[in-house]
Amino acid sequence: MKKKLGLVYGGKSAEHEVSLSTATAVTNAIDFDKYEVIPVYITYEGEWRKGEPLAAPAESIEQLRLERVGGKPDSIHDFLNGNGMPDIILPLLHGTNGEDGTVQGLFEVMNIPYAGNGVLASSAGMDKVVMKQLFAQVGLKQVPYVHFIRNQWKKDQEHWVGKMEQELMFPMFVKPANLGSSVGISKATDRESLIAAVEFALKFDRKIIVEQGVTAREIEVGILGNDDPACSVLGEIKPVAAFYDYEAKYQDGNTELLIPAPVTNEVETTLKDMAIRAFKVLDCAGLVRADFFVTDQDEVLINEINTMPGFTPTSMFPLLWQNTGTSYPELIDRLIELALERHEEKQQLQYKMD
C-alpha cells in the first residue's frame, strides 16, 4: 500500500516563497507510485489548509497556494486527521515557525513521524548565536562575531558600534540571528553602512549577529543520517554578487557551483570531520547542510549549518547528493526511511517506560 505522505509548506516566515519553491520541486521528484501525497499549506497568517491528494507533480507554485475550503478547523490535529492522518510528514518549511523547532514540537506531541531534525537541533540550528556557542564547545574554528538584541541596540547604539569596531574589522556581515536563505543580511564596509545594516536586520529579528568578513572560499557539504551520518562530496559556491544572497540562491541562476569542490585531501578530511562534529553536537537527524570558509592558507572555519536546506532546482543540498550518487527521488526515500527509523526508536523507548 502507498504511504500517506503529508507535505507541509508555506508558513509564517519571510522564507514563505522559498518554502513554496521547495515544495513544488519536491512534488516533481516524489514517486507517486510509492506515496499518496497530501499537500498541507500554511498561509502567511498561519492558517493551515489541507488539499486533496495530488494526482501528479505540481506544475507551478501557484497550484500549491491552496484555497480555503469550509470553516476553519477546531484544531490542527482534527484538520490533519480529516481524511486520515498521514503516515509521515515531510516538513518543507524554512525560517521561523517551521525550521526552528516549533512545528517539530507539534508533530512530536501528535506522535506523527516527520522527516528531518527534531526540536532541539532545529531550534539551536535556527539561532545562529546559540549554534555558534555550541560549536565553540567542541572546538570548531569560527570567524569572530558580536551579538546583541534590539533592546540593547536601542538603549546604547554607540556602545555596540564601538564594540563591533573594536573586536571586528570591516567588512562585516550583519544578519538576523533567526533567519536563513540570506534574508535580511547585509555587508557593511564602514560605520554608516554598519548602522544601516543593523537597522535593516532588526526588521526581521530581535537578535542580531555581526560577523567578521573573511577572504575565503565558500565550501558546503551535505550530511545524511541519524546516529551514523555520512557526508556528500564537497561543493564550492562562487557568487557573482558580493555574497551568496537571496537572489543568487533562488532567482538569478548566475552563481557558479563547483561540484566536487577542488580542495586538497587534507582540507576535505578536516571539513568532513568538522561537519560530523557539528551535526552531533546539535543532535541532528535526517539531513543537514554545513557551510564552511576555506582560506588561502587552507584554514577551515565553520560558518553555519542549515537544518532544512532548500530543495529547489538550484539548491546545493540535492545537487551534492546527486553528485555523490544519490538521485533526488532516492534522497526523498532515504529521508523518509530515516524519519521512520527515528520514530520507531522513540516508540520503543516509550514502550519501555510504560
Side-chain angles (χ1 to χ4, degrees):
M1 291 180 63
K2 293 183 180 180
K3 282 188 172 63
K4 292 183 178 180
L5 176 64
L7 298 187
V8 181
Y9 57 90
K12 296 170 59 178
S13 167
E15 297 177 75
H16 184 99
E17 296 301 314
V18 177
S19 177
L20 278 164
S21 295
T22 295
T24 304
V26 167
T27 68
N28 282 270
I30 285 177
D31 186 343
F32 281 80
D33 291 330
K34 289 183 179 180
Y35 306 107
E36 179 181 311
V37 181
I38 304 169
V40 181
Y41 173 51
I42 305 175
T43 69
Y44 274 112
E45 295 74 30
E47 182 179 318
W48 291 54
R49 299 175 180 173
K50 183 172 71 170
E52 294 298 319
L54 296 175
E59 296 180 0
S60 69
I61 286 177
E62 295 308 314
Q63 183 182 340
L64 295 179
R65 294 187 203 272
L66 305 178
E67 296 296 327
R68 180 174 174 179
V69 179
K72 192 171 183 179
D74 294 330
S75 71
I76 293 174
H77 185 282
D78 292 340
F79 180 49
L80 285 173
N81 203 32
N83 294 322
M85 186 76 75
D87 296 312
I88 185 168
I89 287 179
L90 187 57
L92 303 174
L93 299 160
H94 300 286
T96 50
N97 297 300
E99 192 180 346
D100 58 0
T102 51
V103 77
Q104 288 78 10
L106 171 65
F107 298 147
E108 291 282 357
V109 171
M110 296 173 68
N111 199 31
I112 304 177
Y114 61 94
N117 288 278
V119 176
L120 174 64
S122 297
S123 58
M126 174 55 61
D127 190 313
K128 294 180 176 64
V129 175
V130 172
M131 175 179 61
K132 288 179 177 293
Q133 290 169 338
L134 288 171
F135 287 167
Q137 290 296 310
V138 291
L140 296 175
K141 290 184 179 180
Q142 308 173 70
V143 297
Y145 65 93
V146 170
H147 66 91
F148 49 87
I149 62 174
R150 178 185 286 109
N151 188 51
Q152 291 174 311
W153 174 258
K154 296 301 182 185
K155 283 185 175 180
D156 197 348
Q157 175 179 310
E158 191 65 28
H159 163 77
W160 289 102
V161 171
K163 182 177 176 65
M164 288 183 281
E165 291 180 331
Q166 180 180 359
E167 297 185 15
L168 310 175
M169 294 185 297
F170 290 108
M172 304 176 197
F173 286 90
V174 182
K175 306 177 181 181
N178 289 281
L179 274 180
S181 299
S182 298
V183 174
I185 297 180
S186 302
K187 180 180 180 180
T189 55
D190 54 31
R191 174 176 278 220
E192 182 180 359
S193 60
L194 177 61
I195 293 172
V198 171
E199 294 293 342
F200 177 62
L202 284 170
K203 294 180 179 179
F204 298 93
D205 193 19
R206 64 182 287 273
K207 184 188 289 187
I208 303 300
I209 183 168
V210 182
E211 299 173 349
Q212 170 72 64
V214 60
T215 301
R217 300 163 62 191
E218 297 181 48
I219 308 291
E220 299 184 350
V221 61
I223 309 169
L224 197 61
N226 286 334
D227 293 339
D228 297 304
C231 290
S232 70
V233 299
L234 307 183
E236 180 174 1
I237 296 168
K238 288 195 168 184
V240 175
F243 64 97
Y244 196 35
D245 58 10
Y246 183 94
E247 286 73 19
K249 288 182 178 180
Y250 301 108
Q251 295 176 2
D252 63 24
N254 291 327
T255 298
E256 184 180 5
L257 304 179
L258 302 180
I259 306 175
V263 298
T264 66
N265 291 336
E266 183 178 356
V267 166
E268 180 175 2
T269 299
T270 299
L271 191 147
K272 288 184 175 181
D273 173 70
M274 291 175 68
I276 295 297
R277 286 159 61 194
F279 186 96
K280 291 184 175 180
V281 75
L282 267 68
D283 195 23
C284 294
L287 75 167
V288 155
R289 192 195 70 232
D291 303 347
F292 294 84
F293 297 124
V294 178
T295 69
D296 292 340
Q297 293 73 42
D298 279 348
E299 181 182 21
V300 180
L301 305 168
I302 190 165
N303 179 24
E304 62 183 17
I305 64 168
N306 190 312
T307 58
M308 187 56 238
F311 273 79
T312 65
T314 58
S315 295
M316 181 65 100
F317 187 83
L319 291 175
L320 289 171
W321 282 104
Q322 179 182 320
N323 282 269
T324 308
T326 302
S327 69
Y328 207 152
E330 290 171 338
L331 185 59
I332 293 172
D333 286 343
R334 181 62 180 142
L335 289 173
I336 291 170
E337 291 170 3
L338 290 167
L340 293 173
E341 172 188 294
R342 188 184 57 173
H343 185 73
E344 178 62 25
E345 181 183 23
K346 292 176 184 176
Q347 295 300 101
Q348 293 298 327
L349 289 172
Q350 182 179 338
Y351 293 147
K352 288 179 182 179
M353 291 175 65
D354 291 344

